[in-house]
Amino acid sequence: MITVFGSINMDLIATTTRLPKPGETVGGKDFSTAAGGKGANQALAATRAGARVRMVGAVGTDAFAAPALELLEQAGTELSGVHKTSAPTGTALILVGDDGENMIAVVPGANGTIGKSDAQAAVDAMAQDDILMLQLEIPAMAVEEALSRARDRGITTIINIAPLTAEAARLGRMANIVVANETEFERLAARDGMGADEREKALLRLHEETGQTLVVTLGADGVIAVHQGELVRVNGLKIVPVDTVGAGDTFCGYFAAGLDQGLAFKDALRRAAVAGSLACLKPGAQPSIPLSDEVAARL
């Protein structure tokens, strides 16, 4: 089973012909709302991939709470670990350009109320062969407590070091498996502007230092990882993206599900990469997450 300890949001999405520059106003084309939050997105992706998943987090008592959980509930994600607080449900304000690129501002709301006691309860409810998945849209102290407690119990942990916070590199080194994009990996490696060769060397160096499995998503260039001393590369699909908002979270959820289901490491990466590609073909974070049959058809 996978426990996802993380954020739950409602996404407020506006589409524009192009993303604005600082201080610039551009005309919008469409507006929509969709359930989101990196924790909830990854939980839904893992559920749609066929894994048993428990979501642990917080929502408010406002009008956004029910729709933020609707797709998770429909998919069969266990929601007993989600509690309500007096703070508003978290929101993400998203601009999406015609080229599929996006800009996002996240207002934590209820996510910001999650603390150490929530982390302790989440981990204590897990079995030793479960997987704990985390991101960085909840307070760092809660993430650190969950990682530390899981390590003490021998539970496998996966952290997606996004969004890129000041604590990302430190917290990233506490997990068994780290998933990052190119920019996030540069923070982890403490080196900016790495080319492909430098990235490979940094992956191998960090793996040797920490023993961690490191996974770096490269957008259209696929995924590179280091696992058990070896570099592994896989490709996604060649696509024309519509909206890249949910791609990274879809990858993470499908990747965790693959490991939980006993897939070989490279096979889990490949299925996750294909799922992430498919998520770029529809707008919205959670609505774009493909079903397992859709992914299987493209493998």
Side-chain angles (χ1 to χ4, degrees):
M1 187 172 185
I2 298 169
T3 292
V4 179
F5 183 44
S7 57
I8 303 167
N9 290 337
M10 275 301 291
D11 292 347
L12 312 180
I13 308 159
T15 60
T16 64
T17 54
R18 63 176 178 81
L19 298 180
K21 299 175 183 177
E24 181 184 24
T25 298
V26 299
K29 296 168 63 179
D30 295 296
F31 174 78
S32 61
T33 62
K38 295 192 72 63
N41 295 347
Q42 293 180 19
L44 182 61
T47 303
R48 288 186 174 174
R52 290 177 56 235
V53 181
R54 181 172 188 252
M55 179 74 219
V56 179
V59 294
T61 58
D62 53 13
F64 284 155
L69 297 171
E70 184 177 4
L71 290 179
L72 287 168
E73 187 173 11
Q74 290 176 1
T77 307
E78 184 183 324
L79 299 177
S80 61
V82 177
H83 65 272
K84 291 191 174 183
T85 75
S86 58
T89 301
T91 54
L93 312 176
I94 303 171
L95 291 178
V96 183
D98 278 347
D99 60 358
E101 290 300 319
N102 62 77
M103 299 172 64
I104 306 174
V106 177
V107 182
N111 298 311
T113 69
I114 295 172
K116 289 185 177 181
S117 61
D118 300 301
Q120 293 164 3
V123 176
D124 289 351
M126 297 176 68
Q128 194 167 17
D129 60 351
D130 288 351
I131 292 174
L132 176 65
M133 174 173 282
L134 307 110
Q135 318 77 30
L136 299 177
E137 282 186 340
I138 59 175
M141 64 177 179
V143 175
E144 182 172 8
E145 179 68 18
L147 286 167
S148 177
R149 205 169 185 88
R151 181 178 56 203
D152 290 345
R153 293 195 55 207
I155 292 171
T156 298
T157 53
I158 302 174
I159 188 167
N160 175 212
I161 54 170
L164 191 55
T165 65
E167 298 88 356
R170 180 178 63 83
L171 294 174
R173 294 200 174 219
M174 295 180 66
N176 300 110
I177 302 171
V178 181
V179 181
N181 65 20
E182 296 166 82
T183 302
E184 293 154 1
F185 178 68
E186 288 178 357
R187 172 69 64 86
L188 191 69
R191 185 168 182 178
D192 296 333
M194 287 188 288
D197 290 343
E198 292 174 300
R199 187 182 303 116
E200 289 183 11
K201 291 176 182 177
L203 276 166
L204 290 168
R205 174 178 57 80
L206 283 176
H207 178 63
E208 185 175 352
E209 288 177 4
T210 66
Q212 293 172 299
T213 292
L214 304 166
V215 179
V216 183
T217 58
L218 304 172
D221 293 327
V223 181
I224 186 171
V226 59
H227 177 64
Q228 295 181 348
E230 295 185 4
L231 285 172
V232 181
R233 298 177 182 82
V234 300
N235 294 318
L237 302 174
K238 293 183 178 180
I239 59 164
V240 178
V242 172
D243 179 357
T244 61
V245 168
D249 292 334
T250 298
F251 174 90
C252 290
Y254 262 83
F255 174 60
L259 297 181
D260 184 62
Q261 293 161 341
L263 291 183
F265 180 77
K266 188 170 184 177
D267 292 339
L269 280 184
R270 169 63 177 162
R271 185 171 73 144
V274 169
S277 297
L278 292 174
C280 296
L281 299 179
K282 297 178 183 178
Q286 289 186 20
S288 70
I289 298 171
L291 300 173
S292 58
D293 289 348
E294 297 176 86
V295 177
R298 301 295 297 270
L299 282 170

